[in-house]
Amino acid sequence: MANGILKVEDMLKNYKDAVHEKDVEKFLAAYADDVYIYDCWENWECKGISLWRQNVVGWFNELNEGGYLLNVDFNDVAILENNDVAFVHCAVKYAAFKDNVEEKIRQMTNRFTFGLKKVNESWLIVHEHSSVPLNPDPGKGNFK
């Protein structure tokens, strides 16, 4: 069944919109059932959509409980695609706002790589890797 993500750019828009809307189903519609994810938070490795669903539900619940809206911006996007496979690498900036107030509370930027495959004319994420550069002196992430 097609998920409506007909261009690679549609996947990025879906990601951005689903995070802002905190819509779990919309967000997960872009992922293959057998997705493999390296993430920066909690479960640093997720194998399969069910474990990823748990992480996403927890993430969106925390945003809801805190009254946060999260805006996502993609920067330095590079896309390489052929008919059936695509790769995207970019910087993803997350900016948190509270209760529709325009003042930004916090932000961070992660580096992302997405691996996609075309299924029934729609793109699905089969691999995702997020990371942050480490400052070797204190051994902490540089989230910008």
Side-chain angles (χ1 to χ4, degrees):
M1 174 167 58
N3 62 10
I5 298 177
L6 303 177
K7 298 184 296 187
V8 173
E9 293 85 354
D10 293 339
M11 181 277 296
L12 298 173
K13 181 170 180 358
N14 181 81
Y15 186 104
K16 179 178 182 169
D17 293 347
V19 170
H20 186 74
E21 297 162 12
K22 296 174 262 187
D23 184 332
V24 172
E25 297 309 316
K26 182 176 187 172
F27 187 83
L28 293 175
Y31 290 85
D33 288 342
D34 61 347
V35 66
Y36 199 94
I37 297 173
Y38 294 129
D39 197 13
C40 292
W41 304 104
E42 293 182 31
N43 294 321
W44 67 281
E45 180 179 57
C46 291
K47 296 178 184 177
I49 196 72
S50 60
L51 182 55
W52 187 230
R53 175 181 294 280
Q54 291 174 22
N55 285 5
V56 172
V57 166
W59 178 29
F60 288 178
N61 283 343
E62 286 178 18
L63 292 172
N64 280 328
E65 289 167 7
Y68 294 109
L69 287 175
L70 200 57
N71 290 339
V72 175
D73 287 313
F74 293 95
N75 299 297
D76 303 321
V77 176
I79 299 172
L80 174 64
E81 70 179 280
N82 68 23
N83 290 334
D84 300 314
V85 177
F87 293 93
V88 177
H89 63 84
C90 55
V92 182
K93 181 175 74 175
Y94 299 92
F97 298 84
K98 183 101 168 172
D99 299 321
N100 290 323
V101 176
E102 290 189 25
E103 182 181 342
K104 184 174 19 180
I105 294 175
R106 65 179 178 252
Q107 83 174 29
M108 64 179 232
T109 302
N110 287 19
R111 301 177 298 191
F112 269 76
T113 301
F114 298 99
L116 297 94
K117 71 177 177 179
K118 195 173 277 185
V119 176
N120 297 327
E121 300 304 314
S122 291
W123 289 105
L124 290 176
I125 300 166
V126 294
H127 181 73
E128 177 179 306
H129 186 142
S130 68
S131 65
V132 296
L134 292 178
N135 183 334
D137 193 23
K140 295 190 179 197
N142 178 7
F143 291 95
K144 286 191 175 186

